[in-house]
């Protein structure tokens, strides 16, 4: 048993406040939190002469649940810095995509990379997230767009767990873009690649969830629905990139399939929010893509509040629309650009991010939850969203390992 004392805890253990406990003690047994409360109420501290009990002085740190990045494309080959420059010289994101650049240029680089190269380049990005107290990262496929490379990306994602103290959740995103070899034949691509690749990846145990990109430059709701039907047959939960650049109705479709999350959502409306609330879907807010694409249409935060749709915040780390490896920066952007409150945002990178991944035992400091903790050198949790480009992490604890 481990006893952490001399800390301020931000437990997030109810839905409507930070749950701050000053002069607090947190007790860990194995991988889980055993007890949380004030020093005064702690029944364990008196046993601290027992050699099976170790006490740790947090030296006044503020402790939150470790952060969770619930939407990333962290495994991929190459980068798109040149396209970034082209966009600044006037080219549009969708225009580049239609001209064979965009996602397809990353597909070429990803197909050309070895498994080791995919792992090594992802580790560089992952280490930035880890340095900010992240303990769980979702990783999507979607830059292979053929069966072998989609599986390879997911193998690389799984391998990250053996290289670092991190929990990885994998998401199959075969319906991310149309590869060059299927130009103008999206239905054939869904039938001949996406569905067989999903079956193979699932058979190999590589898939925790299924995602798609429902957009003018990607797939229609009808095409996405065929992928969702397959996911349902395989017993896999779904999520969707929807209403990012236009309103195509992907959110409603995702809600029909009880999606764990619907992500981006800039062009979603109040009816979409209502459908998500009824389906229990999390709204994943991705300020890095909004910022990078100089979007001006804001996600309907007020409607999400009104219908009590849980909101998560994530980096969307990807080489095109969000080359971002800082969840703390995504937190700051969500506050300043979308007027989310620091409390909503902290819940959005902990408890609601866990929910977006179907994890019910993370993102809160409460008995029975996995002891994934972040220690910060700050006085108040609002500081995590307030500062720009500043990382106050002192220590990260994953699975109770101190
Ligand atoms: N939406 C995004 O923002 C990323 N994927 C997606 O479906 C962009 C991916 C890229 O541009 O490489
Ligand atoms: Fe994405």
């Amino acid at each position: 048993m481990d006893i952490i004392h001399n800390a301020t805890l931000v437990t997030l253990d109810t839905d409507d406040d930070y749950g701050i406990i000053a002069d607090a003690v947190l007790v860990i047994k194995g991988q889980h939190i055993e007890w949380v409360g004030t020093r005064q109420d702690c029944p364990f501290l008196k046993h601290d002469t027992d050699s099976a009990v170790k006490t740790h002085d947090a030296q006044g740190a503020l402790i939150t649940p470790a952060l969770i990045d619930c939407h990333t494309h962290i495994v991929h080959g190459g980068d798109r810095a040149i396209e970034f420059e082209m966009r600044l010289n006037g080219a549009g994101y969708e225009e580049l995509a239609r001209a064979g650049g965009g996602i397809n240029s990353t597909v070429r680089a990803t197909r050309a990379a070895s498994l080791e190269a995919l792992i090594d380049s992802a580790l560089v990005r992952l280490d930035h997230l880890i340095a900010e107290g992240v303990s769980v990262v979702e990783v999507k496929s979607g830059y292979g767009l053929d069966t072998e490379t989609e599986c390879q990306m997911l193998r690389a994602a799984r391998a990250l767990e053996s290289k670092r103290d991190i929990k990885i959740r994998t998401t199959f995103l075969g319906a991310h873009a149309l590869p060059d070899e299927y130009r103008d034949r999206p239905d054939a691509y869904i039938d001949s690649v996406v569905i067989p690749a999903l079956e193979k990846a699932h058979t190999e145990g590589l898939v925790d969830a299924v995602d798609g990109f429902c957009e003018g430059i990607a797939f229609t709701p009808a095409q996405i629905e065929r992928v969702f039907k397959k996911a349902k047959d395989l017993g896999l939960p779904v999520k969707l990139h929807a209403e990012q650049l236009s309103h195509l109705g992907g959110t409603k479709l995702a809600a029909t399939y009880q999606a764990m999350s619907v992500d981006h959502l800039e062009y979603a409306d109040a009816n979409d929010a209502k459908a998500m609330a009824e389906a229990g879907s999390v709204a994943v807010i991705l300020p890095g893509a909004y910022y990078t694409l100089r979007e001006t249409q804001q996600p309907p935060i007020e409607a999400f509040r009104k219908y009590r749709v849980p909101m998560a915040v994530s980096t969307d780390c990807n080489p095109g629309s969000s080359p971002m490896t800082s969840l703390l920066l995504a937190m700051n952007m969500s506050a300043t650009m979308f007027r989310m409150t620091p409390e909503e945002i902290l819940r959005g990178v902990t408890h609601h991010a866990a929910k977006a991944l179907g994890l019910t035992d993370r993102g809160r400091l409460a008995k029975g939850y996995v002891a994934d903790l972040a220690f910060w050198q700050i006085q108040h949790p609002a500081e995590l969203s307030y500062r720009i480009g500043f990382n106050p992490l002192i220590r990260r604890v994953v699975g109770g390992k101190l």
Side-chain angles (χ1 to χ4, degrees), residues 71 73 140 173 176 241 264 286 316 318:
H71 178 142
H73 308 252
K140 300 176 194 296
L173 179 57
H176 190 199
H241 288 68
H264 286 289
L286 302 168
D316 192 17
N318 78 68

Side-chain angles (χ1 to χ4, degrees), residues 73 80 93 103 143 176 213 241 244 264 289 316 318-321:
H73 308 252
R80 305 230 291 277
Y93 180 74
I103 293 174
Y143 290 117
H176 190 199
F213 188 18
H241 288 68
Q244 179 188 4
H264 286 289
D316 192 17
N318 78 68
S321 66

Side-chain angles (χ1 to χ4, degrees), residues 2-44:
D2 292 282
I3 300 180
I4 300 165
H5 65 100
N6 194 14
T8 298
L9 302 182
V10 181
T11 63
L12 301 171
D13 68 344
T14 62
D15 283 337
D16 39 14
D17 71 27
Y18 278 121
I20 294 178
I21 308 176
D23 194 15
V25 175
L26 184 144
V27 180
I28 299 173
K29 198 170 167 190
Q31 297 191 3
H32 293 91
I33 297 172
E34 174 68 17
W35 191 88
V36 166
T38 61
R39 167 184 289 275
Q40 212 180 351
D41 294 340
C42 183
F44 297 94

Side-chain angles (χ1 to χ4, degrees), residues 244-303:
Q244 179 188 4
L245 308 169
S246 61
H247 191 282
L248 279 195
T251 305
K252 285 249 175 70
L253 170 73
T256 310
Y257 283 78
Q258 275 79 48
M260 291 197 295
S261 71
V262 187
D263 304 41
H264 286 289
L265 295 163
E266 281 84 337
Y267 288 81
D269 60 22
N271 287 327
D272 294 320
K274 194 158 175 265
M276 289 175 67
E278 282 158 12
S281 306
V282 175
V284 179
I285 305 298
L286 302 168
Y290 175 96
Y291 168 87
T292 302
L293 300 180
R294 296 166 176 274
E295 182 57 71
T296 53
Q297 175 78 27
Q298 298 238 342
I301 302 296
E302 207 44 67

Side-chain angles (χ1 to χ4, degrees), residues 277-337:
E278 282 158 12
S281 306
V282 175
V284 179
I285 305 298
L286 302 168
Y290 175 96
Y291 168 87
T292 302
L293 300 180
R294 296 166 176 274
E295 182 57 71
T296 53
Q297 175 78 27
Q298 298 238 342
I301 302 296
E302 207 44 67
F304 294 142
R305 286 185 184 130
K306 175 174 170 199
Y307 292 104
R308 299 189 70 83
V309 177
M311 290 182 276
V313 168
S314 168
T315 60
D316 192 17
C317 176
N318 78 68
S321 66
S322 189
M324 182 194 229
T325 48
S326 172
L327 193 52
L328 289 170
L329 183 56
M331 293 170 72
N332 173 264
M333 287 178 168
S334 301
T336 302
M337 298 194 308

Side-chain angles (χ1 to χ4, degrees), residues 145-202:
L145 310 186
D146 61 33
T147 300
E148 184 41 38
T149 318
E150 285 293 302
C151 289
Q152 185 84 325
M153 287 184 73
L154 296 170
R155 283 181 212 117
R158 284 269 196 259
L160 299 174
E161 269 188 346
S162 63
K163 307 272 180 191
R164 296 290 185 274
D165 258 336
I166 191 87
K167 182 173 179 70
I168 300 290
R169 296 297 278 180
T170 55
T171 301
F172 176 83
L173 179 57
H176 190 199
L178 201 55
D180 291 337
E181 61 275 20
Y182 281 89
R183 183 166 286 229
D184 300 325
R185 295 187 295 137
D187 292 295
Y189 172 66
I190 301 279
D191 290 332
S192 314
V193 179
V194 179
I195 290 178
L198 172 55
E199 282 172 336
K200 178 157 197 290
H202 175 62

